């Protein structure tokens, strides 16, 4: 039986429909294949990230959520101390995300009970004792470059400081735009007890804390909790740890690189905690009075005068802490912070690199190796400083730490040239 005219018309329409959509299919097939490949590659990357999370093989875990990239420091047994591999990987990731237009926000956090307890100085000391101080210098060169990239980054960085934040951990977070403290946060720059000095650009950010609080924190290695970090400006927000997962999800859902949007999102989960009754931040008047003095000797002398009048346990403890620290470290740290107050973050890092190279060479003083031995290795907590007295550290000795290394094949720290900087980043230069 032949088709009716209506059936013939319907078949013709259906044939044209199939032809039209077949042509469209052929036209867009290459794009479909490319999209499929991209999705497959992302899936493989996510699977690799999940696999490394389970096996704890990668020292930096990566995760992609919408336009957000989440980096997790993954050496929990070492309190996420920054190894050379971690620094290299973070630098690689930050540079890659800077060039990726699909990335709007970076979140940096730590696995376990620490964000990051500092740099892996034990490895650096091991290299020095084997006669290879340049290996340690290479580590600091890359770390300081990472600090500069973070300080001048054009995309917002949110650091979740839920735990220990010391030394290099501060350098990997404080230079970023947003720093979220919690009730578990514990901040310190303990370098003077190790024969080193507050580095990683800390002469820039410590010198910009209220009054002379930066000198106090840098010289004494004082430990600050999350509330104190927020009060002095080391943290930008305080979020209870139980709300961190909700905060992370909200930041991913916000899908924005606008600092105002990100700040507003964090603020939805944050509060202003009360300082403890014995908080050192209540001592800011005495700290300003004493730590504004010109020299380390003057600072200690001023504290002793205050203590003789008030018999204050906190002042006594502060004096004792200063007298236990490396005399050389105290003097170069004070000058570094004072110079940092007048310099941008780039110049601070270049100067600090010169200083750390002199420390590693050990020609002026070997206090760094001795401090690490006493505190980190043998743990007898009885370092033999040389010079042993503050008054024996001369101005000429201090000057040498700030001078360019006298080696023909040595180069100062060269920082990457940055363009298209935000107003926030330009203010740091």
């Amino acid at each position: 039986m032949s088709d009716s005219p209506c059936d013939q018309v319907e078949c013709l329409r259906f044939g044209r429909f199939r032809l039209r959509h077949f042509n469209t299919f052929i036209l867009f097939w290459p794009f479909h294949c490319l999209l499929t490949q991209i999705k497959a590659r992302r899936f493989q990357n996510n699977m690799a990230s999940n696999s490394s999370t389970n096996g704890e093989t990668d020292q930096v875990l990566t995760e992609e959520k919408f336009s957000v990239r989440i980096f997790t420091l993954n050496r929990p047994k070492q309190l996420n101390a920054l190894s050379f591999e971690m620094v290299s990987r973070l630098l690689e990731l930050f540079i890659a995300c800077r060039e990726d237009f699909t990335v709007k926000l970076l979140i940096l956090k730590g696995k376990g009970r620490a964000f990051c307890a500092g740099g892996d100085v034990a490895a650096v000391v091991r290299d020095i004792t084997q006669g290879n101080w340049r290996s340690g210098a290479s580590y600091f060169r890359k770390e300081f470059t990472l600090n500069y990239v973070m300080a001048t980054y054009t995309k917002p960085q949110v650091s979740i400081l839920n735990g220990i934040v010391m030394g290099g951990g501060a350098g990997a977070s404080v230079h970023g735009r947003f720093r979220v403290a919690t009730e578990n946060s514990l901040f310190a720059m303990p370098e003077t007890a190790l024969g080193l000095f507050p580095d990683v650009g800390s002469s820039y950010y410590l010198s910009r804390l209220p009054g002379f609080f930066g000198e106090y924190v840098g010289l004494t290695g004082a430990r600050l909790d999350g509330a104190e970090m927020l009060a002095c400006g080391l943290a930008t927000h305080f979020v209870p740890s139980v709300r961190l997962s909700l905060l992370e999800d909200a930041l991913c859902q916000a899908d924005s690189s606008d600092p105002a949007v990100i700040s507003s999102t964090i603020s939805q989960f944050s509060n202003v905690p009360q300082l403890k009754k014995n908080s050192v931040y209540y001592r800011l008047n005495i700290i300003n009075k004493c730590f504004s003095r010109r020299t380390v000797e003057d600072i200690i002398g001023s504290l002793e005068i205050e203590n003789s009048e008030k018999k204050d346990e906190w002042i006594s403890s502060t004096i004792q802490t200063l007298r236990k620290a490396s005399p050389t470290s105290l003097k170069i740290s004070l000058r570094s912070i004072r110079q940092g107050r007048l310099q941008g973050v780039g110049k601070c890092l270049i100067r600090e690199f010169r200083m750390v190279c002199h420390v590693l060479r050990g020609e002026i003083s070997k206090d760094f190796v001795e401090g690490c031995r006493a505190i980190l290795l043998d743990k007898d907590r009885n370092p033999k400083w040389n010079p042993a007295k503050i008054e024996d550290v001369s101005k000429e000795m201090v000057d040498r730490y700030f001078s360019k290394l006298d080696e023909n094949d040595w180069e100062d720290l060269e920082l990457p040239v940055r363009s298209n900087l935000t107003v926030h980043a330009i203010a740091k230069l």
Side-chain angles (χ1 to χ4, degrees):
M1 183 176 179
S2 63
D3 294 332
S4 67
C6 291
D7 291 333
Q8 293 175 7
V9 171
E10 192 64 25
C11 287
L12 181 60
R13 286 175 177 174
F14 181 68
R16 288 175 177 173
F17 173 84
R18 287 193 299 175
L19 180 61
R20 183 170 65 251
H21 280 267
F22 178 77
N23 290 336
T24 303
F25 179 77
I26 292 298
L27 177 62
F28 287 99
W29 174 251
F31 299 99
H32 170 75
C33 292
L34 178 60
L35 181 60
T36 302
Q37 292 173 3
I38 292 173
K39 288 183 177 179
R41 191 176 298 116
R42 286 183 174 179
F43 176 77
Q44 292 170 358
N45 291 339
N46 288 336
M47 288 297 291
S49 177
N50 292 335
S51 174
S52 64
T53 301
N54 295 331
E56 293 189 5
T57 55
D58 291 343
Q59 295 186 14
V60 178
L61 306 179
T62 62
E63 189 176 0
E64 175 183 322
K65 288 186 178 180
F66 304 105
S67 61
V68 178
R69 299 298 178 269
I70 303 169
F71 306 142
T72 304
L73 306 181
N74 186 38
R75 295 181 75 199
K77 293 182 179 178
Q78 294 80 19
L79 300 179
N80 298 322
L82 291 173
S83 65
F84 183 83
E85 291 76 13
M86 292 173 77
V87 172
S88 300
R89 180 60 174 151
L90 284 172
L91 182 58
E92 178 184 85
L93 289 169
F94 268 74
I95 291 176
C97 288
R98 186 180 65 198
E99 307 302 326
D100 188 345
F101 71 91
T102 66
V103 178
K104 296 180 180 178
L105 172 68
L106 304 182
I107 296 177
L108 185 61
K109 60 183 182 179
K111 188 173 184 178
R113 64 189 184 93
F115 169 77
C116 175
D120 193 354
V121 294
V124 174
V125 171
R126 183 175 61 249
D127 290 335
I128 295 175
T129 56
Q130 294 174 355
N132 186 18
W133 69 269
R134 286 175 178 264
S135 178
S138 297
Y139 169 86
F140 283 104
R141 186 185 292 272
K142 181 148 288 189
E143 184 181 26
F144 288 11
T145 301
L146 173 64
N147 299 148
Y148 183 73
V149 168
M150 289 178 165
T152 58
Y153 211 62
T154 54
K155 299 178 181 182
Q157 172 188 343
V158 176
S159 300
I160 309 297
L161 308 178
N162 186 35
I164 299 169
V165 188
M166 295 185 179
S173 57
V174 176
H175 291 298
R177 186 69 177 264
F178 301 101
R179 291 92 61 188
V180 179
T182 75
E183 74 280 4
N184 300 320
S185 298
L186 178 64
F187 176 95
M189 299 297 294
E191 286 79 6
T192 59
L194 293 173
L196 193 57
F197 64 93
D199 59 342
V200 294
S202 61
S203 63
Y204 176 83
Y205 62 77
L206 288 180
S207 64
R208 283 158 177 78
L209 298 185
F212 293 86
F213 195 64
E215 277 89 338
Y216 164 73
V217 171
L219 295 182
T220 66
R223 298 187 173 192
L224 309 177
D225 62 22
E228 290 167 327
M229 292 176 66
L230 182 68
C232 72
L234 287 168
T236 59
H237 297 79
F238 182 98
V239 176
S241 59
V242 295
R243 309 194 74 187
L244 289 178
S245 60
L246 297 175
L247 168 62
E248 191 174 304
D249 290 341
L251 288 171
C252 293
Q253 293 290 340
D255 190 32
S256 177
S257 61
D258 185 345
V261 172
I262 294 168
S263 181
S264 176
T265 302
I266 301 174
S267 296
Q268 294 175 23
F269 300 89
S270 64
N271 57 42
V272 179
Q274 289 289 326
L275 291 170
K276 296 177 181 177
K277 291 182 179 180
N278 62 344
S279 171
V280 69
Y281 206 65
Y282 290 131
R283 307 276 188 164
L284 196 54
N285 287 338
I286 294 179
I287 288 173
N288 287 340
K289 181 177 181 180
C290 297
F291 282 83
S292 61
R293 302 295 183 178
R294 190 177 62 86
T295 67
V296 175
E297 294 93 329
D298 291 342
I299 289 173
I300 295 176
S302 180
L303 286 167
E304 288 175 336
I305 292 173
E306 290 290 323
N307 195 40
S308 65
E309 297 174 353
K310 300 177 181 178
K311 300 297 180 183
D312 188 302
E313 182 178 345
W314 173 82
I315 298 178
S316 297
S317 176
T318 302
I319 295 171
Q320 186 177 13
T321 298
L322 290 171
R323 292 205 176 278
K324 284 184 177 180
S326 160
T328 301
S329 292
L330 290 175
K331 286 207 168 183
I332 64 175
S333 297
L334 181 61
R335 182 184 292 189
S336 178
I337 295 170
R338 294 281 165 84
Q339 289 191 7
R341 192 171 269 113
L342 304 175
Q343 295 176 330
V345 67
K347 288 187 177 180
C348 285
L349 286 164
I350 291 171
R351 171 177 44 73
E352 289 176 12
F353 184 68
R354 286 186 180 183
M355 296 171 65
V356 81
C357 288
H358 282 293
V359 169
L360 299 179
R361 271 208 312 185
E363 290 188 344
I364 310 169
S365 170
K366 301 185 185 300
D367 279 1
F368 177 52
V369 172
E370 172 61 13
C372 290
R373 178 206 64 77
I375 305 299
L376 302 178
L377 303 177
D378 296 344
K379 299 183 180 180
D380 58 33
R381 296 191 173 276
N382 187 30
K384 306 297 182 184
W385 304 126
N386 186 22
K389 298 180 179 180
I390 294 174
E391 54 268 24
D392 291 338
V393 182
S394 67
K395 178 180 179 301
E396 289 71 26
M397 292 173 63
V398 175
D399 289 342
R400 289 175 62 187
Y401 281 95
F402 293 78
S403 64
K404 188 173 182 179
L405 269 70
D406 186 18
E407 294 199 16
N408 294 330
D409 60 342
W410 190 253
E411 295 182 356
D412 272 336
L413 177 66
E414 292 187 9
L415 297 171
V417 177
R418 304 305 312 275
S419 59
N420 300 323
L421 294 177
T422 63
V423 174
H424 176 75
I426 292 174
K428 296 181 178 182
L429 300 180

